[in-house]
Amino acid sequence: MSHTSPPPPPPQTDGLLSAARRNARELARGLARPSHPPTPLFADAPRLWQRLLPYGIVLALTAALVPVTISVLTTQYGLNGGVAGAIGVAQAAPLLMLAHRPLQAWWIIFTADILGAMALLTEPQQNYDIWPWTPPVIVGYLFVMLALALRETRRTVIAVWCATGLAGLVLHAEASDRSDGSAILLFVLSGVVLLVGVALRERGEVQRRLAEQENISEAERAQRTLLEERTRIARELHDVVAHHMSVITVQADSAPYRLPDLSPQAQEEFGSIAASARESLAEMRRLLTVLRREDTAGERAPQPGLDRVQQLVEATVRAGVPAELSLPAELGPVPPAVDLSAYRIVQEALANVVRHASGARTRVSVASDGDWLTVLVVNETAAARTSPLEATGTGHGLVGMRERVRLTGGTLDTGPLPDGGFRVAARLPLTADPTTGPSTGTTGPARPVGPATGTTSPTGPMGPTAAKDAP
């Protein structure tokens, strides 16, 4: 007689069984191991009372439920005082752990609730009408569910919810004549609490991630602004450096003609200097091509300097902002990089006045003591019109001012005034080794700044926007 083996299950059924076993293992793993370290619920809260709030809640809850549970078990269910006290403490005292170890608290309370339900079976049925879960058990268990939902993963809370429903189902099957539906009630209420708690937790996580992403984006935007401003400054300084390199080339090439008594070795040396200078110029042009964006047109106009500050102030007055300028008739020799940086600082400060503090009374002052050039743009009173500070834009802003001052080795001081105005003060070195202040580098031969007349007219505050406006 031959024996035939049963046919293998269909592939679809086998896949469902494998998925069910895998999900069961995941749920069991979620019950066995918490998904967060044993830290307080609001451990990252900025204020002390917020960090202590979970402990205060669980302390008050435990202090209320322990005596209430014992009283209900002795008066309404007729249990012995000692047994009622042990069950009441086991069911309510672990609530103290909800603030930092909710899953461990659930294991203790869940076990104590099942043992308490089984202990009630020893009493006559007429002594009580709510079973298997007593009213204090339902209240305490819902708080446990809320703590779990706020701390644990979805896998863990689903496992807890399934375990709650399974325990109620088993107890109902054990004594269906005594069960009055409290098992179903706890199952439904705990599901609602878990759903609300998980939604709150995930919403908080989303907000936290959004805040982190905004911080990252802000840092990246600030870094990009800084790099763009440095690139712009490098392009502007190309003209300054190229001028000096061109002078070196011309002088080296013309040396044999200007100095007829040069030896052949000296003429060869001057020729090598001129060749190196021309090669350096070619490398600078290639560098400038790399720094220039595709949409950036070549600038053919000479780089501005302090001799054009008066034109800036006059343009500001025409734009509706009363301004006055204090500029000495002769500043003396000013290094090209310092000359350009000082002009740009004044330009950026006045541009912010026009954009954000129209009608403000503004003073522009440029002075020199031989070693340092001081550029000062001040608002004397608060602006009559306020507007949101710009975080982005196409201008230079404070980022550009700082970079230009850092390039020349100077200092920059910006900030609000007591009367509500604002000031921008820059000190730029005029020599390679100034007598006071930070050490600086040289930018090549200086050029004298010619005389300029002051323009005076009513002005007003530049406002704090000068410090916030970024490129």
PDB file of all heavy atoms in Angstrom, residues 253-275:
ATOM      1  N   ASP A 253      60.052  95.228 -19.757  1.00  0.00           N
ATOM      2  CA  ASP A 253      60.274  95.228 -21.199  1.00  0.00           C
ATOM      3  C   ASP A 253      61.028  96.475 -21.671  1.00  0.00           C
ATOM      4  O   ASP A 253      61.839  96.423 -22.613  1.00  0.00           O
ATOM      5  CB  ASP A 253      58.933  95.129 -21.935  1.00  0.00           C
ATOM      6  CG  ASP A 253      58.420  93.700 -21.991  1.00  0.00           C
ATOM      7  OD1 ASP A 253      59.257  92.776 -21.960  1.00  0.00           O
ATOM      8  OD2 ASP A 253      57.181  93.509 -22.064  1.00  0.00           O
ATOM      9  N   SER A 254      60.755  97.586 -21.026  1.00  0.00           N
ATOM     10  CA  SER A 254      61.366  98.850 -21.475  1.00  0.00           C
ATOM     11  C   SER A 254      62.708  99.135 -20.812  1.00  0.00           C
ATOM     12  O   SER A 254      63.365 100.124 -21.150  1.00  0.00           O
ATOM     13  CB  SER A 254      60.415 100.016 -21.191  1.00  0.00           C
ATOM     14  OG  SER A 254      60.183 100.143 -19.795  1.00  0.00           O
ATOM     15  N   ALA A 255      63.101  98.315 -19.866  1.00  0.00           N
ATOM     16  CA  ALA A 255      64.360  98.575 -19.151  1.00  0.00           C
ATOM     17  C   ALA A 255      65.564  98.649 -20.087  1.00  0.00           C
ATOM     18  O   ALA A 255      66.411  99.552 -19.953  1.00  0.00           O
ATOM     19  CB  ALA A 255      64.571  97.509 -18.071  1.00  0.00           C
ATOM     20  N   PRO A 256      65.722  97.723 -21.077  1.00  0.00           N
ATOM     21  CA  PRO A 256      66.907  97.842 -21.961  1.00  0.00           C
ATOM     22  C   PRO A 256      66.928  99.126 -22.766  1.00  0.00           C
ATOM     23  O   PRO A 256      68.018  99.601 -23.156  1.00  0.00           O
ATOM     24  CB  PRO A 256      66.768  96.624 -22.874  1.00  0.00           C
ATOM     25  CG  PRO A 256      65.952  95.657 -22.091  1.00  0.00           C
ATOM     26  CD  PRO A 256      64.978  96.510 -21.335  1.00  0.00           C
ATOM     27  N   TYR A 257      65.772  99.724 -23.044  1.00  0.00           N
ATOM     28  CA  TYR A 257      65.719 100.958 -23.820  1.00  0.00           C
ATOM     29  C   TYR A 257      65.921 102.179 -22.932  1.00  0.00           C
ATOM     30  O   TYR A 257      66.469 103.198 -23.373  1.00  0.00           O
ATOM     31  CB  TYR A 257      64.387 101.057 -24.559  1.00  0.00           C
ATOM     32  CG  TYR A 257      64.134  99.851 -25.451  1.00  0.00           C
ATOM     33  CD1 TYR A 257      63.309  98.823 -25.008  1.00  0.00           C
ATOM     34  CD2 TYR A 257      64.718  99.752 -26.710  1.00  0.00           C
ATOM     35  CE1 TYR A 257      63.072  97.714 -25.807  1.00  0.00           C
ATOM     36  CE2 TYR A 257      64.487  98.647 -27.517  1.00  0.00           C
ATOM     37  CZ  TYR A 257      63.666  97.622 -27.062  1.00  0.00           C
ATOM     38  OH  TYR A 257      63.431  96.525 -27.849  1.00  0.00           O
ATOM     39  N   ARG A 258      65.450 102.089 -21.706  1.00  0.00           N
ATOM     40  CA  ARG A 258      65.588 103.218 -20.801  1.00  0.00           C
ATOM     41  C   ARG A 258      66.959 103.250 -20.144  1.00  0.00           C
ATOM     42  O   ARG A 258      67.429 104.300 -19.713  1.00  0.00           O
ATOM     43  CB  ARG A 258      64.505 103.162 -19.704  1.00  0.00           C
ATOM     44  CG  ARG A 258      63.096 103.368 -20.237  1.00  0.00           C
ATOM     45  CD  ARG A 258      62.049 103.353 -19.130  1.00  0.00           C
ATOM     46  NE  ARG A 258      61.888 102.027 -18.522  1.00  0.00           N
ATOM     47  CZ  ARG A 258      62.356 101.662 -17.346  1.00  0.00           C
ATOM     48  NH1 ARG A 258      63.046 102.539 -16.628  1.00  0.00           N
ATOM     49  NH2 ARG A 258      62.147 100.442 -16.877  1.00  0.00           N
ATOM     50  N   LEU A 259      67.573 102.099 -20.027  1.00  0.00           N
ATOM     51  CA  LEU A 259      68.882 101.995 -19.378  1.00  0.00           C
ATOM     52  C   LEU A 259      69.859 101.369 -20.376  1.00  0.00           C
ATOM     53  O   LEU A 259      70.051 100.146 -20.406  1.00  0.00           O
ATOM     54  CB  LEU A 259      68.784 101.142 -18.106  1.00  0.00           C
ATOM     55  CG  LEU A 259      67.735 101.594 -17.072  1.00  0.00           C
ATOM     56  CD1 LEU A 259      67.613 100.580 -15.952  1.00  0.00           C
ATOM     57  CD2 LEU A 259      68.109 102.963 -16.522  1.00  0.00           C
ATOM     58  N   PRO A 260      70.489 102.175 -21.234  1.00  0.00           N
ATOM     59  CA  PRO A 260      71.323 101.614 -22.307  1.00  0.00           C
ATOM     60  C   PRO A 260      72.579 100.910 -21.812  1.00  0.00           C
ATOM     61  O   PRO A 260      73.182 100.125 -22.549  1.00  0.00           O
ATOM     62  CB  PRO A 260      71.672 102.844 -23.149  1.00  0.00           C
ATOM     63  CG  PRO A 260      71.539 104.006 -22.225  1.00  0.00           C
ATOM     64  CD  PRO A 260      70.444 103.651 -21.280  1.00  0.00           C
ATOM     65  N   ASP A 261      73.016 101.166 -20.622  1.00  0.00           N
ATOM     66  CA  ASP A 261      74.260 100.580 -20.132  1.00  0.00           C
ATOM     67  C   ASP A 261      74.057  99.229 -19.451  1.00  0.00           C
ATOM     68  O   ASP A 261      74.971  98.726 -18.779  1.00  0.00           O
ATOM     69  CB  ASP A 261      74.940 101.534 -19.150  1.00  0.00           C
ATOM     70  CG  ASP A 261      75.342 102.842 -19.814  1.00  0.00           C
ATOM     71  OD1 ASP A 261      75.571 102.820 -21.047  1.00  0.00           O
ATOM     72  OD2 ASP A 261      75.394 103.860 -19.104  1.00  0.00           O
ATOM     73  N   LEU A 262      72.912  98.623 -19.593  1.00  0.00           N
ATOM     74  CA  LEU A 262      72.669  97.333 -18.950  1.00  0.00           C
ATOM     75  C   LEU A 262      73.518  96.239 -19.588  1.00  0.00           C
ATOM     76  O   LEU A 262      73.696  96.200 -20.818  1.00  0.00           O
ATOM     77  CB  LEU A 262      71.192  96.956 -19.064  1.00  0.00           C
ATOM     78  CG  LEU A 262      70.204  97.703 -18.173  1.00  0.00           C
ATOM     79  CD1 LEU A 262      68.782  97.231 -18.462  1.00  0.00           C
ATOM     80  CD2 LEU A 262      70.540  97.506 -16.704  1.00  0.00           C
ATOM     81  N   SER A 263      74.013  95.386 -18.754  1.00  0.00           N
ATOM     82  CA  SER A 263      74.776  94.245 -19.256  1.00  0.00           C
ATOM     83  C   SER A 263      73.836  93.215 -19.875  1.00  0.00           C
ATOM     84  O   SER A 263      72.629  93.218 -19.601  1.00  0.00           O
ATOM     85  CB  SER A 263      75.562  93.607 -18.109  1.00  0.00           C
ATOM     86  OG  SER A 263      74.663  93.070 -17.145  1.00  0.00           O
ATOM     87  N   PRO A 264      74.375  92.318 -20.727  1.00  0.00           N
ATOM     88  CA  PRO A 264      73.508  91.267 -21.308  1.00  0.00           C
ATOM     89  C   PRO A 264      72.814  90.418 -20.250  1.00  0.00           C
ATOM     90  O   PRO A 264      71.673  90.013 -20.412  1.00  0.00           O
ATOM     91  CB  PRO A 264      74.482  90.455 -22.155  1.00  0.00           C
ATOM     92  CG  PRO A 264      75.591  91.395 -22.480  1.00  0.00           C
ATOM     93  CD  PRO A 264      75.722  92.307 -21.291  1.00  0.00           C
ATOM     94  N   GLN A 265      73.497  90.122 -19.136  1.00  0.00           N
ATOM     95  CA  GLN A 265      72.866  89.335 -18.079  1.00  0.00           C
ATOM     96  C   GLN A 265      71.679  90.076 -17.466  1.00  0.00           C
ATOM     97  O   GLN A 265      70.630  89.479 -17.185  1.00  0.00           O
ATOM     98  CB  GLN A 265      73.892  89.003 -16.985  1.00  0.00           C
ATOM     99  CG  GLN A 265      75.017  88.082 -17.415  1.00  0.00           C
ATOM    100  CD  GLN A 265      76.126  88.810 -18.134  1.00  0.00           C
ATOM    101  OE1 GLN A 265      76.068  90.049 -18.308  1.00  0.00           O
ATOM    102  NE2 GLN A 265      77.150  88.065 -18.570  1.00  0.00           N
ATOM    103  N   ALA A 266      71.834  91.402 -17.268  1.00  0.00           N
ATOM    104  CA  ALA A 266      70.731  92.175 -16.699  1.00  0.00           C
ATOM    105  C   ALA A 266      69.561  92.262 -17.665  1.00  0.00           C
ATOM    106  O   ALA A 266      68.389  92.159 -17.265  1.00  0.00           O
ATOM    107  CB  ALA A 266      71.211  93.577 -16.323  1.00  0.00           C
ATOM    108  N   GLN A 267      69.888  92.439 -18.984  1.00  0.00           N
ATOM    109  CA  GLN A 267      68.810  92.464 -19.964  1.00  0.00           C
ATOM    110  C   GLN A 267      68.054  91.133 -20.000  1.00  0.00           C
ATOM    111  O   GLN A 267      66.822  91.091 -20.112  1.00  0.00           O
ATOM    112  CB  GLN A 267      69.384  92.795 -21.349  1.00  0.00           C
ATOM    113  CG  GLN A 267      69.957  94.200 -21.473  1.00  0.00           C
ATOM    114  CD  GLN A 267      70.483  94.475 -22.865  1.00  0.00           C
ATOM    115  OE1 GLN A 267      70.248  93.700 -23.786  1.00  0.00           O
ATOM    116  NE2 GLN A 267      71.196  95.600 -23.018  1.00  0.00           N
ATOM    117  N   GLU A 268      68.816  90.036 -19.897  1.00  0.00           N
ATOM    118  CA  GLU A 268      68.162  88.712 -19.863  1.00  0.00           C
ATOM    119  C   GLU A 268      67.287  88.571 -18.623  1.00  0.00           C
ATOM    120  O   GLU A 268      66.193  87.990 -18.674  1.00  0.00           O
ATOM    121  CB  GLU A 268      69.233  87.634 -19.903  1.00  0.00           C
ATOM    122  CG  GLU A 268      68.663  86.219 -19.927  1.00  0.00           C
ATOM    123  CD  GLU A 268      69.763  85.174 -19.993  1.00  0.00           C
ATOM    124  OE1 GLU A 268      70.948  85.555 -20.119  1.00  0.00           O
ATOM    125  OE2 GLU A 268      69.430  83.989 -19.911  1.00  0.00           O
ATOM    126  N   GLU A 269      67.769  89.111 -17.507  1.00  0.00           N
ATOM    127  CA  GLU A 269      66.976  89.026 -16.263  1.00  0.00           C
ATOM    128  C   GLU A 269      65.688  89.827 -16.386  1.00  0.00           C
ATOM    129  O   GLU A 269      64.613  89.361 -15.978  1.00  0.00           O
ATOM    130  CB  GLU A 269      67.809  89.543 -15.088  1.00  0.00           C
ATOM    131  CG  GLU A 269      67.132  89.384 -13.731  1.00  0.00           C
ATOM    132  CD  GLU A 269      67.019  87.932 -13.322  1.00  0.00           C
ATOM    133  OE1 GLU A 269      67.786  87.103 -13.852  1.00  0.00           O
ATOM    134  OE2 GLU A 269      66.147  87.623 -12.479  1.00  0.00           O
ATOM    135  N   PHE A 270      65.776  91.043 -16.954  1.00  0.00           N
ATOM    136  CA  PHE A 270      64.556  91.833 -17.150  1.00  0.00           C
ATOM    137  C   PHE A 270      63.599  91.133 -18.111  1.00  0.00           C
ATOM    138  O   PHE A 270      62.383  91.179 -17.943  1.00  0.00           O
ATOM    139  CB  PHE A 270      64.910  93.228 -17.661  1.00  0.00           C
ATOM    140  CG  PHE A 270      65.283  94.197 -16.577  1.00  0.00           C
ATOM    141  CD1 PHE A 270      66.577  94.693 -16.482  1.00  0.00           C
ATOM    142  CD2 PHE A 270      64.335  94.600 -15.641  1.00  0.00           C
ATOM    143  CE1 PHE A 270      66.924  95.578 -15.478  1.00  0.00           C
ATOM    144  CE2 PHE A 270      64.679  95.503 -14.647  1.00  0.00           C
ATOM    145  CZ  PHE A 270      65.971  95.986 -14.560  1.00  0.00           C
ATOM    146  N   GLY A 271      64.117  90.486 -19.140  1.00  0.00           N
ATOM    147  CA  GLY A 271      63.257  89.743 -20.055  1.00  0.00           C
ATOM    148  C   GLY A 271      62.555  88.589 -19.362  1.00  0.00           C
ATOM    149  O   GLY A 271      61.369  88.318 -19.619  1.00  0.00           O
ATOM    150  N   SER A 272      63.279  87.908 -18.450  1.00  0.00           N
ATOM    151  CA  SER A 272      62.648  86.817 -17.690  1.00  0.00           C
ATOM    152  C   SER A 272      61.554  87.357 -16.780  1.00  0.00           C
ATOM    153  O   SER A 272      60.485  86.742 -16.629  1.00  0.00           O
ATOM    154  CB  SER A 272      63.717  86.089 -16.868  1.00  0.00           C
ATOM    155  OG  SER A 272      63.133  85.104 -16.043  1.00  0.00           O
ATOM    156  N   ILE A 273      61.798  88.527 -16.170  1.00  0.00           N
ATOM    157  CA  ILE A 273      60.771  89.140 -15.307  1.00  0.00           C
ATOM    158  C   ILE A 273      59.532  89.491 -16.118  1.00  0.00           C
ATOM    159  O   ILE A 273      58.400  89.241 -15.709  1.00  0.00           O
ATOM    160  CB  ILE A 273      61.348  90.382 -14.604  1.00  0.00           C
ATOM    161  CG1 ILE A 273      62.443  89.980 -13.618  1.00  0.00           C
ATOM    162  CG2 ILE A 273      60.243  91.154 -13.900  1.00  0.00           C
ATOM    163  CD1 ILE A 273      63.174  91.154 -13.007  1.00  0.00           C
ATOM    164  N   ALA A 274      59.725  90.063 -17.303  1.00  0.00           N
ATOM    165  CA  ALA A 274      58.578  90.423 -18.129  1.00  0.00           C
ATOM    166  C   ALA A 274      57.803  89.188 -18.564  1.00  0.00           C
ATOM    167  O   ALA A 274      56.570  89.181 -18.580  1.00  0.00           O
ATOM    168  CB  ALA A 274      59.065  91.217 -19.347  1.00  0.00           C
ATOM    169  N   ALA A 275      58.516  88.107 -18.913  1.00  0.00           N
ATOM    170  CA  ALA A 275      57.830  86.876 -19.324  1.00  0.00           C
ATOM    171  C   ALA A 275      57.028  86.286 -18.166  1.00  0.00           C
ATOM    172  O   ALA A 275      55.889  85.831 -18.351  1.00  0.00           O
ATOM    173  CB  ALA A 275      58.865  85.872 -19.841  1.00  0.00           C
TER     174      ALA A 275
END
